[in-house]
């Protein structure tokens, strides 16, 4: 586990991480140069792994050489997913599930080798990597939802516009052609993106460890029906709850308590995460993978499972728990001065969160189980 500062050696460290990669690479960079794109395209073709590149698609940047249509075209032909986002300034590199670079360096030759840049190189820090992965996924999902894919047709059109500018100077002044920037637009306010994950992790007063967890199932976009009872997922005689590859439950210990919260609705029909089950878990193993498991191929094995009495709507509303305990609900909020609304919506985009001892005792008193299933 390590976090180190990068100053002059961005290219060296990023290249090493790229060459070790075997699963996936995700990059967020406003700008791109043709030489870095050429290297990356050859790497992806050789390794045959999925890759996503989020960038700005701004006519002026292409005219002045800050971004490259040729480079983007090479990456597109290599199979890289290209997405455009308005107002992008983040520079983030995620390699497999263990290495991240976060800082000032664009994915350009200047950013990697010539400019004065400063970044954090993060390796085997699952807590921080998980936060950064979720941040990336939020940007990516917004682009996909708004369908701001950078296609070959769009690149050819932009390339023609650049040629029509008829200038060879990067400092030739304003562009002659007025072209509206292309890209997805983030919501005006997004609690998930506003959170300072790096500060949270590096603050030594914050305790992220726990022996009692809340695991979220379903999603705010695909809420589970509240009118029926909750049933634990069972496959081949094993009770389980499932995760994406990026959000493996590596922090959970053997015998930990896991409360299941389903994105559904309360008795009044209001959208809310409902706590509907309790179990203990075995320690997570990397072999806990379901072949052809789709979006949720990773699982955590459960035992002593107890679904709640009644239907999903009869469970415990997570918002009631947070309103009762405030910052003493989660391990990452305990002892911190945080707005009540931030605590209330801490669960957004999370696969699981650690609960405090106070929350564990509180839930033990009010959770009403049906007869045990095992």
């Amino acid at each position: 586990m390590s976090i180190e500062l990068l100053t002059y050696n961005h290219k060296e460290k990023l290249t090493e991480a790229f060459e070790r990669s075997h699963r996936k690479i995700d990059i967020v960079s406003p700008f791109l140069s043709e030489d870095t794109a050429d290297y990356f395209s050859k790497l992806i073709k050789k390794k045959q792994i999925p890759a996503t590149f989020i960038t700005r698609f701004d006519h002026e940047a292409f005219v002045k050489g800050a971004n490259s249509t040729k480079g983007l075209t090479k990456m597109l032909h290599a199979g890289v997913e290209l997405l455009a986002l308005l107002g992008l300034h983040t520079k983030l590199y995620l390699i497999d599930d263990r290495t991240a670079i976060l800082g000032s360096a664009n994915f350009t030759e200047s950013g990697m080798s010539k400019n004065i840049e400063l970044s954090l190189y993060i390796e085997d820090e699952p807590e921080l990597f998980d936060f950064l992965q979720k941040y990336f996924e939020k940007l990516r999902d917004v682009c996909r939802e708004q369908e701001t894919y950078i296609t070959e047709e769009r690149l050819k059109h932009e390339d023609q516009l650049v040629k029509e500018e008829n200038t060879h100077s990067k400092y030739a002044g304003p562009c002659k052609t007025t072209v509206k920037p292309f890209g997805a637009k983030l919501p005006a306010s997004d609690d998930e993106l506003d959170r300072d994950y790096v500060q949270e992790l590096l603050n030594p007063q914050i305790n992220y460890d726990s022996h009692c967890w809340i695991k979220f199932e379903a999603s705010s976009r695909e809420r589970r029906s509240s009118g029926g009872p909750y049933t634990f997922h069972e496959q081949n005689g094993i009770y389980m709850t499932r995760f994406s590859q990026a959000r493996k439950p590596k922090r959970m210990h053997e015998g930990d308590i896991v409360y299941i919260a389903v994105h559904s609705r309360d008795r009044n029909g209001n959208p809310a995460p409902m706590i509907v089950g309790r179990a203990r878990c075995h320690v997570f193993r990397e072999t806990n993978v379901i072949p052809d498991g789709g979006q949720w191929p990773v699982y955590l094995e459960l035992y002593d499972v107890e679904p709640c009495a009644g239907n999903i709507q009869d469970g415990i509303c997570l918002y009631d728990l947070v309103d009762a305990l405030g910052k003493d609900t989660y391990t990452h909020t305990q002892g911190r001065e945080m707005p009540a609304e931030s605590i209330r919506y801490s669960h957004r985009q999370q696969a699981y969160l650690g609960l405090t001892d106070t929350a564990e005792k509180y839930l033990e008193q009010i959770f009403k189980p049906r007869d045990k299933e095992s």
Side-chain angles (χ1 to χ4, degrees), residues 267 274-276 308-317 320 367:
R267 291 180 180 176
M274 301 299 295
I275 300 173
V276 293
C308 72
N311 295 324
I312 289 176
Q313 65 186 12
D314 301 313
I316 301 166
C317 180
D320 292 341
F367 182 80

Side-chain angles (χ1 to χ4, degrees), residues 33-87:
S33 60
E34 187 176 353
D35 39 16
T36 52
D38 185 60
Y39 161 73
F40 190 67
S41 300
K42 291 176 181 176
L43 177 84
I44 295 302
K45 284 182 178 179
K46 179 180 73 174
K47 289 184 172 287
Q48 293 293 300
I49 58 175
T52 298
F53 183 72
I54 302 176
T55 190
R56 293 170 65 172
F57 203 92
D58 188 325
H59 177 64
E60 185 174 359
F62 289 117
V63 170
K64 295 187 176 181
N67 214 337
S68 170
T69 54
K70 290 183 179 179
L72 288 170
T73 301
K74 288 182 179 181
M75 290 170 68
L76 187 66
H77 290 170
V80 179
E81 180 185 32
L82 303 179
L83 299 168
L85 183 63
L86 295 173

Side-chain angles (χ1 to χ4, degrees), residues 93-123:
Y93 306 83
L94 301 174
I95 300 95
D96 292 343
D97 291 322
R98 58 174 302 215
T99 305
I101 296 176
L102 170 69
S104 65
N106 278 293
F107 195 40
T108 61
E109 188 63 27
S110 295
M112 291 292 112
S113 306
K114 301 175 183 178
N115 294 343
I116 299 174
E117 308 282 2
L118 181 65
S119 299
L120 288 175
Y121 179 89
I122 302 152
E123 192 164 279

Side-chain angles (χ1 to χ4, degrees), residues 191-326:
D191 295 334
E192 186 67 17
L193 295 183
D194 287 344
R195 291 178 62 190
D196 190 347
Y197 286 129
V198 176
Q199 180 61 32
E200 287 182 11
L201 186 77
L202 299 181
N203 188 335
Q205 297 178 350
I206 300 174
N207 174 31
Y208 290 88
D209 198 20
S210 180
H211 291 279
C212 182
W213 307 86
I214 186 164
K215 164 63 170 64
F216 299 97
E217 294 184 352
S219 71
S220 58
R221 292 176 189 159
E222 298 180 4
R223 295 185 183 276
R224 197 169 299 178
S225 173
S226 62
Y230 175 76
T231 304
F232 279 90
H233 182 76
E234 189 231 347
Q235 189 166 331
N236 298 325
I238 298 174
Y239 287 104
M240 62 179 67
T241 184
R242 294 169 62 175
F243 300 77
S244 67
Q245 279 282 2
R247 305 182 183 185
K248 298 175 182 177
K250 296 180 179 180
R251 289 180 286 150
M252 294 186 178
H253 314 89
E254 180 70 31
D256 280 0
I257 296 172
V258 181
Y259 282 93
I260 303 296
V262 176
H263 288 281
S264 184
R265 297 181 184 276
D266 63 19
R267 291 180 180 176
N268 297 317
N270 300 313
M274 301 299 295
I275 300 173
V276 293
R278 180 173 61 192
R280 289 191 179 272
C281 70
H282 291 299
V283 68
F284 172 71
R285 303 181 187 281
E286 291 291 342
T287 54
N288 288 10
V289 177
I290 300 173
D292 301 321
Q295 189 177 359
W296 320 105
V298 176
Y299 69 89
L300 181 71
E301 186 174 349
L302 305 175
Y303 64 97
D304 289 348
V305 299
E306 298 177 294
C308 72
N311 295 324
I312 289 176
Q313 65 186 12
D314 301 313
I316 301 166
C317 180
L318 178 64
Y319 297 142
D320 292 341
L321 175 68
V322 174
D323 289 345
L325 302 182

